[in-house]
PDB file of all heavy atoms in Angstrom:
ATOM      1  N   SER A   1     121.237 105.148 111.093  1.00 93.00           N
ATOM      2  CA  SER A   1     122.629 105.256 111.501  1.00 93.00           C
ATOM      3  C   SER A   1     122.701 105.931 112.882  1.00 93.00           C
ATOM      4  O   SER A   1     121.700 105.977 113.614  1.00 93.00           O
ATOM      5  CB  SER A   1     123.449 106.012 110.453  1.00 93.00           C
ATOM      6  OG  SER A   1     124.822 105.963 110.767  1.00 93.00           O
ATOM      7  N   ALA A   2     123.870 106.457 113.252  1.00 93.00           N
ATOM      8  CA  ALA A   2     124.059 107.087 114.556  1.00 93.00           C
ATOM      9  C   ALA A   2     125.330 107.914 114.512  1.00 93.00           C
ATOM     10  O   ALA A   2     126.132 107.806 113.589  1.00 93.00           O
ATOM     11  CB  ALA A   2     124.147 106.031 115.663  1.00 93.00           C
ATOM     12  N   GLY A   3     125.507 108.753 115.530  1.00 92.00           N
ATOM     13  CA  GLY A   3     126.706 109.567 115.594  1.00 92.00           C
ATOM     14  C   GLY A   3     126.629 110.783 114.690  1.00 92.00           C
ATOM     15  O   GLY A   3     125.562 111.142 114.177  1.00 92.00           O
ATOM     16  N   PRO A   4     127.770 111.439 114.444  1.00 91.00           N
ATOM     17  CA  PRO A   4     127.765 112.693 113.679  1.00 91.00           C
ATOM     18  C   PRO A   4     127.274 112.541 112.246  1.00 91.00           C
ATOM     19  O   PRO A   4     126.792 113.501 111.651  1.00 91.00           O
ATOM     20  CB  PRO A   4     129.233 113.142 113.713  1.00 91.00           C
ATOM     21  CG  PRO A   4     130.019 111.921 114.045  1.00 91.00           C
ATOM     22  CD  PRO A   4     129.128 111.093 114.923  1.00 91.00           C
ATOM     23  N   ARG A   5     127.378 111.327 111.677  1.00 92.00           N
ATOM     24  CA  ARG A   5     126.939 111.145 110.296  1.00 92.00           C
ATOM     25  C   ARG A   5     125.613 110.387 110.237  1.00 92.00           C
ATOM     26  O   ARG A   5     125.335 109.658 109.278  1.00 92.00           O
ATOM     27  CB  ARG A   5     128.018 110.429 109.485  1.00 92.00           C
ATOM     28  CG  ARG A   5     127.823 110.593 107.990  1.00 92.00           C
ATOM     29  CD  ARG A   5     129.083 110.678 107.179  1.00 92.00           C
ATOM     30  NE  ARG A   5     128.746 111.090 105.818  1.00 92.00           N
ATOM     31  CZ  ARG A   5     129.628 111.407 104.881  1.00 92.00           C
ATOM     32  NH1 ARG A   5     130.920 111.376 105.158  1.00 92.00           N
ATOM     33  NH2 ARG A   5     129.237 111.776 103.679  1.00 92.00           N
ATOM     34  N   ASN A   6     124.781 110.584 111.239  1.00 92.00           N
ATOM     35  CA  ASN A   6     123.471 109.936 111.211  1.00 92.00           C
ATOM     36  C   ASN A   6     122.572 110.593 110.168  1.00 92.00           C
ATOM     37  O   ASN A   6     122.923 111.617 109.582  1.00 92.00           O
ATOM     38  CB  ASN A   6     122.814 109.990 112.601  1.00 92.00           C
ATOM     39  CG  ASN A   6     122.426 111.406 112.993  1.00 92.00           C
ATOM     40  OD1 ASN A   6     122.916 112.390 112.444  1.00 92.00           O
ATOM     41  ND2 ASN A   6     121.558 111.528 113.961  1.00 92.00           N
ATOM     42  N   CYS A   7     121.430 109.992 109.930  1.00 90.00           N
ATOM     43  CA  CYS A   7     120.514 110.493 108.896  1.00 90.00           C
ATOM     44  C   CYS A   7     119.956 111.845 109.306  1.00 90.00           C
ATOM     45  O   CYS A   7     119.307 111.973 110.351  1.00 90.00           O
ATOM     46  CB  CYS A   7     119.381 109.493 108.669  1.00 90.00           C
ATOM     47  SG  CYS A   7     118.118 110.086 107.526  1.00 90.00           S
ATOM     48  N   ILE A   8     120.166 112.838 108.471  1.00 90.00           N
ATOM     49  CA  ILE A   8     119.725 114.197 108.777  1.00 90.00           C
ATOM     50  C   ILE A   8     118.203 114.314 108.720  1.00 90.00           C
ATOM     51  O   ILE A   8     117.608 115.206 109.313  1.00 90.00           O
ATOM     52  CB  ILE A   8     120.389 115.189 107.797  1.00 90.00           C
ATOM     53  CG1 ILE A   8     120.262 116.626 108.309  1.00 90.00           C
ATOM     54  CG2 ILE A   8     119.790 115.069 106.403  1.00 90.00           C
ATOM     55  CD1 ILE A   8     121.076 117.612 107.486  1.00 90.00           C
ATOM     56  N   GLY A   9     117.558 113.382 108.010  1.00 90.00           N
ATOM     57  CA  GLY A   9     116.116 113.490 107.801  1.00 90.00           C
ATOM     58  C   GLY A   9     115.293 112.455 108.540  1.00 90.00           C
ATOM     59  O   GLY A   9     114.188 112.124 108.106  1.00 90.00           O
ATOM     60  N   GLN A  10     115.779 111.940 109.676  1.00 92.00           N
ATOM     61  CA  GLN A  10     115.051 110.863 110.341  1.00 92.00           C
ATOM     62  C   GLN A  10     113.704 111.316 110.898  1.00 92.00           C
ATOM     63  O   GLN A  10     112.731 110.555 110.864  1.00 92.00           O
ATOM     64  CB  GLN A  10     115.893 110.204 111.422  1.00 92.00           C
ATOM     65  CG  GLN A  10     116.472 111.106 112.484  1.00 92.00           C
ATOM     66  CD  GLN A  10     117.404 110.335 113.407  1.00 92.00           C
ATOM     67  OE1 GLN A  10     116.978 109.500 114.207  1.00 92.00           O
ATOM     68  NE2 GLN A  10     118.684 110.591 113.290  1.00 92.00           N
ATOM     69  N   LYS A  11     113.601 112.548 111.395  1.00 93.00           N
ATOM     70  CA  LYS A  11     112.303 113.046 111.861  1.00 93.00           C
ATOM     71  C   LYS A  11     111.352 113.238 110.670  1.00 93.00           C
ATOM     72  O   LYS A  11     110.159 112.933 110.763  1.00 93.00           O
ATOM     73  CB  LYS A  11     112.479 114.363 112.617  1.00 93.00           C
ATOM     74  CG  LYS A  11     113.136 114.194 113.990  1.00 93.00           C
ATOM     75  CD  LYS A  11     113.209 115.519 114.722  1.00 93.00           C
ATOM     76  CE  LYS A  11     113.837 115.338 116.102  1.00 93.00           C
ATOM     77  NZ  LYS A  11     113.953 116.630 116.833  1.00 93.00           N
ATOM     78  N   TYR A  12     111.886 113.764 109.587  1.00 93.00           N
ATOM     79  CA  TYR A  12     111.109 113.905 108.356  1.00 93.00           C
ATOM     80  C   TYR A  12     110.553 112.546 107.946  1.00 93.00           C
ATOM     81  O   TYR A  12     109.363 112.408 107.627  1.00 93.00           O
ATOM     82  CB  TYR A  12     112.018 114.476 107.265  1.00 93.00           C
ATOM     83  CG  TYR A  12     111.457 114.464 105.859  1.00 93.00           C
ATOM     84  CD1 TYR A  12     110.950 115.625 105.283  1.00 93.00           C
ATOM     85  CD2 TYR A  12     111.467 113.306 105.081  1.00 93.00           C
ATOM     86  CE1 TYR A  12     110.452 115.633 103.990  1.00 93.00           C
ATOM     87  CE2 TYR A  12     110.972 113.298 103.786  1.00 93.00           C
ATOM     88  CZ  TYR A  12     110.469 114.459 103.246  1.00 93.00           C
ATOM     89  OH  TYR A  12     109.974 114.448 101.966  1.00 93.00           O
ATOM     90  N   ALA A  13     111.409 111.525 107.938  1.00 94.00           N
ATOM     91  CA  ALA A  13     111.000 110.184 107.511  1.00 94.00           C
ATOM     92  C   ALA A  13     109.910 109.626 108.412  1.00 94.00           C
ATOM     93  O   ALA A  13     108.926 109.037 107.932  1.00 94.00           O
ATOM     94  CB  ALA A  13     112.205 109.248 107.489  1.00 94.00           C
ATOM     95  N   MET A  14     110.055 109.817 109.720  1.00 96.00           N
ATOM     96  CA  MET A  14     109.056 109.280 110.650  1.00 96.00           C
ATOM     97  C   MET A  14     107.722 110.000 110.495  1.00 96.00           C
ATOM     98  O   MET A  14     106.657 109.369 110.514  1.00 96.00           O
ATOM     99  CB  MET A  14     109.565 109.376 112.081  1.00 96.00           C
ATOM    100  CG  MET A  14     108.713 108.621 113.087  1.00 96.00           C
ATOM    101  SD  MET A  14     108.542 106.838 112.751  1.00 96.00           S
ATOM    102  CE  MET A  14     110.164 106.250 113.227  1.00 96.00           C
ATOM    103  N   PHE A  15     107.749 111.311 110.308  1.00 96.00           N
ATOM    104  CA  PHE A  15     106.508 112.066 110.067  1.00 96.00           C
ATOM    105  C   PHE A  15     105.826 111.558 108.799  1.00 96.00           C
ATOM    106  O   PHE A  15     104.612 111.330 108.770  1.00 96.00           O
ATOM    107  CB  PHE A  15     106.818 113.555 109.913  1.00 96.00           C
ATOM    108  CG  PHE A  15     106.941 114.314 111.206  1.00 96.00           C
ATOM    109  CD1 PHE A  15     107.384 113.690 112.368  1.00 96.00           C
ATOM    110  CD2 PHE A  15     106.637 115.655 111.265  1.00 96.00           C
ATOM    111  CE1 PHE A  15     107.510 114.390 113.552  1.00 96.00           C
ATOM    112  CE2 PHE A  15     106.745 116.372 112.452  1.00 96.00           C
ATOM    113  CZ  PHE A  15     107.184 115.738 113.600  1.00 96.00           C
ATOM    114  N   GLU A  16     106.610 111.396 107.743  1.00 97.00           N
ATOM    115  CA  GLU A  16     106.051 110.968 106.468  1.00 97.00           C
ATOM    116  C   GLU A  16     105.465 109.563 106.565  1.00 97.00           C
ATOM    117  O   GLU A  16     104.339 109.312 106.119  1.00 97.00           O
ATOM    118  CB  GLU A  16     107.131 111.006 105.386  1.00 97.00           C
ATOM    119  CG  GLU A  16     106.641 110.542 104.028  1.00 97.00           C
ATOM    120  CD  GLU A  16     107.750 110.478 102.995  1.00 97.00           C
ATOM    121  OE1 GLU A  16     108.890 110.896 103.292  1.00 97.00           O
ATOM    122  OE2 GLU A  16     107.480 109.997 101.869  1.00 97.00           O
ATOM    123  N   MET A  17     106.232 108.634 107.152  1.00 98.00           N
ATOM    124  CA  MET A  17     105.759 107.248 107.252  1.00 98.00           C
ATOM    125  C   MET A  17     104.505 107.154 108.107  1.00 98.00           C
ATOM    126  O   MET A  17     103.553 106.451 107.751  1.00 98.00           O
ATOM    127  CB  MET A  17     106.876 106.347 107.797  1.00 98.00           C
ATOM    128  CG  MET A  17     108.011 106.118 106.818  1.00 98.00           C
ATOM    129  SD  MET A  17     109.215 104.872 107.370  1.00 98.00           S
ATOM    130  CE  MET A  17     110.008 105.718 108.738  1.00 98.00           C
ATOM    131  N   LYS A  18     104.479 107.849 109.221  1.00 98.00           N
ATOM    132  CA  LYS A  18     103.297 107.817 110.080  1.00 98.00           C
ATOM    133  C   LYS A  18     102.066 108.349 109.352  1.00 98.00           C
ATOM    134  O   LYS A  18     100.972 107.786 109.458  1.00 98.00           O
ATOM    135  CB  LYS A  18     103.544 108.643 111.355  1.00 98.00           C
ATOM    136  CG  LYS A  18     104.320 107.945 112.444  1.00 98.00           C
ATOM    137  CD  LYS A  18     104.351 108.823 113.687  1.00 98.00           C
ATOM    138  CE  LYS A  18     104.967 108.124 114.874  1.00 98.00           C
ATOM    139  NZ  LYS A  18     104.939 108.970 116.089  1.00 98.00           N
ATOM    140  N   THR A  19     102.240 109.443 108.618  1.00 98.00           N
ATOM    141  CA  THR A  19     101.104 110.040 107.916  1.00 98.00           C
ATOM    142  C   THR A  19     100.558 109.096 106.858  1.00 98.00           C
ATOM    143  O   THR A  19      99.342 108.877 106.762  1.00 98.00           O
ATOM    144  CB  THR A  19     101.518 111.375 107.278  1.00 98.00           C
ATOM    145  OG1 THR A  19     102.031 112.254 108.284  1.00 98.00           O
ATOM    146  CG2 THR A  19     100.321 112.041 106.599  1.00 98.00           C
ATOM    147  N   ILE A  20     101.449 108.530 106.044  1.00 98.00           N
ATOM    148  CA  ILE A  20     101.004 107.605 105.002  1.00 98.00           C
ATOM    149  C   ILE A  20     100.303 106.406 105.624  1.00 98.00           C
ATOM    150  O   ILE A  20      99.195 106.017 105.204  1.00 98.00           O
ATOM    151  CB  ILE A  20     102.200 107.141 104.144  1.00 98.00           C
ATOM    152  CG1 ILE A  20     102.797 108.313 103.359  1.00 98.00           C
ATOM    153  CG2 ILE A  20     101.770 106.030 103.187  1.00 98.00           C
ATOM    154  CD1 ILE A  20     104.077 107.981 102.627  1.00 98.00           C
ATOM    155  N   LEU A  21     100.924 105.801 106.623  1.00 98.00           N
ATOM    156  CA  LEU A  21     100.360 104.595 107.239  1.00 98.00           C
ATOM    157  C   LEU A  21      99.031 104.886 107.921  1.00 98.00           C
ATOM    158  O   LEU A  21      98.079 104.103 107.809  1.00 98.00           O
ATOM    159  CB  LEU A  21     101.358 104.014 108.240  1.00 98.00           C
ATOM    160  CG  LEU A  21     102.593 103.366 107.606  1.00 98.00           C
ATOM    161  CD1 LEU A  21     103.701 103.197 108.640  1.00 98.00           C
ATOM    162  CD2 LEU A  21     102.230 102.011 106.999  1.00 98.00           C
ATOM    163  N   ALA A  22      98.963 106.007 108.624  1.00 98.00           N
ATOM    164  CA  ALA A  22      97.713 106.336 109.331  1.00 98.00           C
ATOM    165  C   ALA A  22      96.574 106.576 108.351  1.00 98.00           C
ATOM    166  O   ALA A  22      95.442 106.113 108.564  1.00 98.00           O
ATOM    167  CB  ALA A  22      97.921 107.560 110.228  1.00 98.00           C
ATOM    168  N   ASN A  23      96.843 107.279 107.262  1.00 97.00           N
ATOM    169  CA  ASN A  23      95.786 107.523 106.280  1.00 97.00           C
ATOM    170  C   ASN A  23      95.340 106.239 105.601  1.00 97.00           C
ATOM    171  O   ASN A  23      94.157 106.069 105.295  1.00 97.00           O
ATOM    172  CB  ASN A  23      96.269 108.546 105.239  1.00 97.00           C
ATOM    173  CG  ASN A  23      96.022 109.981 105.679  1.00 97.00           C
ATOM    174  OD1 ASN A  23      95.047 110.270 106.360  1.00 97.00           O
ATOM    175  ND2 ASN A  23      96.916 110.879 105.304  1.00 97.00           N
ATOM    176  N   VAL A  24      96.268 105.314 105.375  1.00 97.00           N
ATOM    177  CA  VAL A  24      95.901 104.024 104.778  1.00 97.00           C
ATOM    178  C   VAL A  24      95.122 103.170 105.758  1.00 97.00           C
ATOM    179  O   VAL A  24      94.050 102.626 105.444  1.00 97.00           O
ATOM    180  CB  VAL A  24      97.158 103.272 104.292  1.00 97.00           C
ATOM    181  CG1 VAL A  24      96.811 101.834 103.907  1.00 97.00           C
ATOM    182  CG2 VAL A  24      97.792 104.001 103.108  1.00 97.00           C
ATOM    183  N   LEU A  25      95.615 103.047 106.982  1.00 97.00           N
ATOM    184  CA  LEU A  25      95.031 102.114 107.946  1.00 97.00           C
ATOM    185  C   LEU A  25      93.714 102.616 108.534  1.00 97.00           C
ATOM    186  O   LEU A  25      92.927 101.825 109.057  1.00 97.00           O
ATOM    187  CB  LEU A  25      96.041 101.822 109.059  1.00 97.00           C
ATOM    188  CG  LEU A  25      97.294 101.077 108.578  1.00 97.00           C
ATOM    189  CD1 LEU A  25      98.362 101.074 109.661  1.00 97.00           C
ATOM    190  CD2 LEU A  25      96.940  99.642 108.168  1.00 97.00           C
ATOM    191  N   ARG A  26      93.456 103.910 108.452  1.00 96.00           N
ATOM    192  CA  ARG A  26      92.145 104.410 108.890  1.00 96.00           C
ATOM    193  C   ARG A  26      91.042 103.932 107.953  1.00 96.00           C
ATOM    194  O   ARG A  26      89.882 103.814 108.365  1.00 96.00           O
ATOM    195  CB  ARG A  26      92.143 105.944 108.930  1.00 96.00           C
ATOM    196  CG  ARG A  26      92.847 106.541 110.124  1.00 96.00           C
ATOM    197  CD  ARG A  26      92.492 107.997 110.311  1.00 96.00           C
ATOM    198  NE  ARG A  26      93.009 108.859 109.256  1.00 96.00           N
ATOM    199  CZ  ARG A  26      92.639 110.137 109.096  1.00 96.00           C
ATOM    200  NH1 ARG A  26      91.730 110.670 109.894  1.00 96.00           N
ATOM    201  NH2 ARG A  26      93.161 110.871 108.141  1.00 96.00           N
ATOM    202  N   LYS A  27      91.392 103.651 106.699  1.00 95.00           N
ATOM    203  CA  LYS A  27      90.367 103.326 105.700  1.00 95.00           C
ATOM    204  C   LYS A  27      90.423 101.888 105.198  1.00 95.00           C
ATOM    205  O   LYS A  27      89.456 101.417 104.603  1.00 95.00           O
ATOM    206  CB  LYS A  27      90.496 104.289 104.524  1.00 95.00           C
ATOM    207  CG  LYS A  27      90.206 105.732 104.916  1.00 95.00           C
ATOM    208  CD  LYS A  27      90.090 106.642 103.711  1.00 95.00           C
ATOM    209  CE  LYS A  27      89.695 108.054 104.145  1.00 95.00           C
ATOM    210  NZ  LYS A  27      89.532 108.960 102.987  1.00 95.00           N
ATOM    211  N   PHE A  28      91.552 101.214 105.433  1.00 96.00           N
ATOM    212  CA  PHE A  28      91.688  99.863 104.887  1.00 96.00           C
ATOM    213  C   PHE A  28      92.221  98.884 105.930  1.00 96.00           C
ATOM    214  O   PHE A  28      93.000  99.256 106.808  1.00 96.00           O
ATOM    215  CB  PHE A  28      92.655  99.846 103.694  1.00 96.00           C
ATOM    216  CG  PHE A  28      92.242 100.690 102.540  1.00 96.00           C
ATOM    217  CD1 PHE A  28      92.824 101.931 102.335  1.00 96.00           C
ATOM    218  CD2 PHE A  28      91.273 100.254 101.646  1.00 96.00           C
ATOM    219  CE1 PHE A  28      92.456 102.720 101.264  1.00 96.00           C
ATOM    220  CE2 PHE A  28      90.892 101.038 100.579  1.00 96.00           C
ATOM    221  CZ  PHE A  28      91.478 102.276 100.384  1.00 96.00           C
ATOM    222  N   LYS A  29      91.796  97.662 105.781  1.00 96.00           N
ATOM    223  CA  LYS A  29      92.456  96.558 106.450  1.00 96.00           C
ATOM    224  C   LYS A  29      93.348  95.906 105.401  1.00 96.00           C
ATOM    225  O   LYS A  29      92.926  95.696 104.256  1.00 96.00           O
ATOM    226  CB  LYS A  29      91.441  95.545 106.991  1.00 96.00           C
ATOM    227  CG  LYS A  29      92.076  94.469 107.851  1.00 96.00           C
ATOM    228  CD  LYS A  29      91.015  93.648 108.568  1.00 96.00           C
ATOM    229  CE  LYS A  29      91.687  92.641 109.500  1.00 96.00           C
ATOM    230  NZ  LYS A  29      90.681  91.832 110.244  1.00 96.00           N
ATOM    231  N   VAL A  30      94.598  95.602 105.775  1.00 97.00           N
ATOM    232  CA  VAL A  30      95.553  95.097 104.790  1.00 97.00           C
ATOM    233  C   VAL A  30      95.862  93.629 105.073  1.00 97.00           C
ATOM    234  O   VAL A  30      95.860  93.175 106.225  1.00 97.00           O
ATOM    235  CB  VAL A  30      96.857  95.932 104.794  1.00 97.00           C
ATOM    236  CG1 VAL A  30      96.552  97.385 104.436  1.00 97.00           C
ATOM    237  CG2 VAL A  30      97.570  95.864 106.141  1.00 97.00           C
ATOM    238  N   TYR A  31      96.124  92.894 103.998  1.00 97.00           N
ATOM    239  CA  TYR A  31      96.426  91.464 104.091  1.00 97.00           C
ATOM    240  C   TYR A  31      97.685  91.168 103.269  1.00 97.00           C
ATOM    241  O   TYR A  31      97.773  91.567 102.102  1.00 97.00           O
ATOM    242  CB  TYR A  31      95.272  90.621 103.548  1.00 97.00           C
ATOM    243  CG  TYR A  31      93.956  90.838 104.253  1.00 97.00           C
ATOM    244  CD1 TYR A  31      93.066  91.820 103.812  1.00 97.00           C
ATOM    245  CD2 TYR A  31      93.592  90.055 105.348  1.00 97.00           C
ATOM    246  CE1 TYR A  31      91.846  92.021 104.446  1.00 97.00           C
ATOM    247  CE2 TYR A  31      92.363  90.251 105.986  1.00 97.00           C
ATOM    248  CZ  TYR A  31      91.501  91.229 105.537  1.00 97.00           C
ATOM    249  OH  TYR A  31      90.294  91.434 106.162  1.00 97.00           O
ATOM    250  N   SER A  32      98.629  90.466 103.865  1.00 97.00           N
ATOM    251  CA  SER A  32      99.837  90.039 103.153  1.00 97.00           C
ATOM    252  C   SER A  32      99.640  88.608 102.670  1.00 97.00           C
ATOM    253  O   SER A  32      99.146  87.749 103.412  1.00 97.00           O
ATOM    254  CB  SER A  32     101.055  90.131 104.070  1.00 97.00           C
ATOM    255  OG  SER A  32     101.270  91.473 104.476  1.00 97.00           O
ATOM    256  N   LEU A  33     100.038  88.346 101.440  1.00 97.00           N
ATOM    257  CA  LEU A  33      99.743  87.062 100.811  1.00 97.00           C
ATOM    258  C   LEU A  33     100.876  86.049 100.918  1.00 97.00           C
ATOM    259  O   LEU A  33     100.661  84.866 100.641  1.00 97.00           O
ATOM    260  CB  LEU A  33      99.392  87.283  99.330  1.00 97.00           C
ATOM    261  CG  LEU A  33      98.216  88.233  99.067  1.00 97.00           C
ATOM    262  CD1 LEU A  33      97.945  88.319  97.574  1.00 97.00           C
ATOM    263  CD2 LEU A  33      96.970  87.787  99.816  1.00 97.00           C
ATOM    264  N   ASP A  34     102.077  86.491 101.314  1.00 96.00           N
ATOM    265  CA  ASP A  34     103.216  85.577 101.368  1.00 96.00           C
ATOM    266  C   ASP A  34     103.861  85.597 102.744  1.00 96.00           C
ATOM    267  O   ASP A  34     104.101  86.680 103.302  1.00 96.00           O
ATOM    268  CB  ASP A  34     104.270  85.964 100.323  1.00 96.00           C
ATOM    269  CG  ASP A  34     103.745  85.839  98.905  1.00 96.00           C
ATOM    270  OD1 ASP A  34     103.284  84.738  98.554  1.00 96.00           O
ATOM    271  OD2 ASP A  34     103.781  86.837  98.160  1.00 96.00           O
ATOM    272  N   PRO A  35     104.186  84.422 103.301  1.00 95.00           N
ATOM    273  CA  PRO A  35     104.912  84.380 104.571  1.00 95.00           C
ATOM    274  C   PRO A  35     106.346  84.859 104.374  1.00 95.00           C
ATOM    275  O   PRO A  35     106.825  84.976 103.235  1.00 95.00           O
ATOM    276  CB  PRO A  35     104.873  82.895 104.957  1.00 95.00           C
ATOM    277  CG  PRO A  35     104.741  82.179 103.652  1.00 95.00           C
ATOM    278  CD  PRO A  35     103.916  83.072 102.771  1.00 95.00           C
ATOM    279  N   ARG A  36     107.045  85.110 105.455  1.00 94.00           N
ATOM    280  CA  ARG A  36     108.389  85.694 105.359  1.00 94.00           C
ATOM    281  C   ARG A  36     109.362  84.792 104.610  1.00 94.00           C
ATOM    282  O   ARG A  36     110.260  85.288 103.919  1.00 94.00           O
ATOM    283  CB  ARG A  36     108.939  86.005 106.753  1.00 94.00           C
ATOM    284  CG  ARG A  36     108.397  87.303 107.335  1.00 94.00           C
ATOM    285  CD  ARG A  36     109.082  87.657 108.630  1.00 94.00           C
ATOM    286  NE  ARG A  36     110.514  87.799 108.461  1.00 94.00           N
ATOM    287  CZ  ARG A  36     111.385  87.790 109.451  1.00 94.00           C
ATOM    288  NH1 ARG A  36     110.962  87.600 110.691  1.00 94.00           N
ATOM    289  NH2 ARG A  36     112.669  87.950 109.221  1.00 94.00           N
ATOM    290  N   ASP A  37     109.208  83.465 104.740  1.00 93.00           N
ATOM    291  CA  ASP A  37     110.168  82.586 104.073  1.00 93.00           C
ATOM    292  C   ASP A  37     109.991  82.579 102.553  1.00 93.00           C
ATOM    293  O   ASP A  37     110.817  82.001 101.830  1.00 93.00           O
ATOM    294  CB  ASP A  37     110.105  81.166 104.634  1.00 93.00           C
ATOM    295  CG  ASP A  37     108.737  80.510 104.451  1.00 93.00           C
ATOM    296  OD1 ASP A  37     107.821  81.171 103.909  1.00 93.00           O
ATOM    297  OD2 ASP A  37     108.588  79.352 104.849  1.00 93.00           O
ATOM    298  N   LYS A  38     108.938  83.218 102.064  1.00 94.00           N
ATOM    299  CA  LYS A  38     108.733  83.334 100.618  1.00 94.00           C
ATOM    300  C   LYS A  38     109.170  84.701 100.078  1.00 94.00           C
ATOM    301  O   LYS A  38     109.116  84.941  98.875  1.00 94.00           O
ATOM    302  CB  LYS A  38     107.253  83.113 100.268  1.00 94.00           C
ATOM    303  CG  LYS A  38     106.715  81.738 100.662  1.00 94.00           C
ATOM    304  CD  LYS A  38     107.430  80.621  99.922  1.00 94.00           C
ATOM    305  CE  LYS A  38     106.830  79.262 100.275  1.00 94.00           C
ATOM    306  NZ  LYS A  38     107.544  78.154  99.588  1.00 94.00           N
ATOM    307  N   ILE A  39     109.572  85.595 100.993  1.00 94.00           N
ATOM    308  CA  ILE A  39     110.014  86.930 100.592  1.00 94.00           C
ATOM    309  C   ILE A  39     111.530  86.934 100.467  1.00 94.00           C
ATOM    310  O   ILE A  39     112.245  86.812 101.461  1.00 94.00           O
ATOM    311  CB  ILE A  39     109.567  88.002 101.612  1.00 94.00           C
ATOM    312  CG1 ILE A  39     108.040  88.029 101.732  1.00 94.00           C
ATOM    313  CG2 ILE A  39     110.110  89.368 101.207  1.00 94.00           C
ATOM    314  CD1 ILE A  39     107.320  88.574 100.531  1.00 94.00           C
ATOM    315  N   LEU A  40     112.029  87.025  99.248  1.00 91.00           N
ATOM    316  CA  LEU A  40     113.466  87.083  99.002  1.00 91.00           C
ATOM    317  C   LEU A  40     113.888  88.540  98.901  1.00 91.00           C
ATOM    318  O   LEU A  40     113.265  89.331  98.190  1.00 91.00           O
ATOM    319  CB  LEU A  40     113.820  86.343  97.710  1.00 91.00           C
ATOM    320  CG  LEU A  40     113.412  84.867  97.642  1.00 91.00           C
ATOM    321  CD1 LEU A  40     113.789  84.278  96.290  1.00 91.00           C
ATOM    322  CD2 LEU A  40     114.049  84.072  98.772  1.00 91.00           C
ATOM    323  N   VAL A  41     114.946  88.893  99.632  1.00 90.00           N
ATOM    324  CA  VAL A  41     115.367  90.289  99.674  1.00 90.00           C
ATOM    325  C   VAL A  41     116.711  90.475  98.989  1.00 90.00           C
ATOM    326  O   VAL A  41     117.514  89.543  98.895  1.00 90.00           O
ATOM    327  CB  VAL A  41     115.444  90.820 101.122  1.00 90.00           C
ATOM    328  CG1 VAL A  41     114.078  90.797 101.775  1.00 90.00           C
ATOM    329  CG2 VAL A  41     116.447  90.022 101.943  1.00 90.00           C
ATOM    330  N   SER A  42     116.939  91.684  98.531  1.00 81.00           N
ATOM    331  CA  SER A  42     118.192  92.050  97.877  1.00 81.00           C
ATOM    332  C   SER A  42     118.693  93.335  98.508  1.00 81.00           C
ATOM    333  O   SER A  42     117.927  94.287  98.694  1.00 81.00           O
ATOM    334  CB  SER A  42     117.971  92.256  96.370  1.00 81.00           C
ATOM    335  OG  SER A  42     119.118  92.791  95.755  1.00 81.00           O
ATOM    336  N   ALA A  43     119.977  93.368  98.831  1.00 70.00           N
ATOM    337  CA  ALA A  43     120.570  94.556  99.440  1.00 70.00           C
ATOM    338  C   ALA A  43     121.319  95.353  98.383  1.00 70.00           C
ATOM    339  O   ALA A  43     122.497  95.137  98.142  1.00 70.00           O
ATOM    340  CB  ALA A  43     121.511  94.151 100.576  1.00 70.00           C
TER     341      ALA A  43
END
């Protein structure tokens, strides 16, 4: 989001995501099995 009601934890989220991804990608190569047109999303 943005403005006065933006996400209060955006730095927290970025730190967490970077740490998880870095620890995974340092040790593994990842492969996705489905192209985007096969991924159905729900909001």
Side-chain angles (χ1 to χ4, degrees):
S1 188
R5 198 146 191 172
N6 68 341
C7 175
I8 195 172
Q10 55 186 290
K11 288 183 179 179
Y12 170 102
M14 190 58 74
F15 277 30
E16 179 185 354
M17 289 188 291
K18 279 186 173 182
T19 303
I20 294 173
L21 289 163
N23 273 327
V24 170
L25 295 168
R26 283 196 292 169
K27 296 190 176 182
F28 299 101
K29 187 170 184 179
V30 299
Y31 301 90
S32 298
L33 303 182
D34 297 304
R36 280 187 59 197
D37 61 359
K38 299 297 183 182
I39 300 290
L40 302 178
V41 297
S42 172

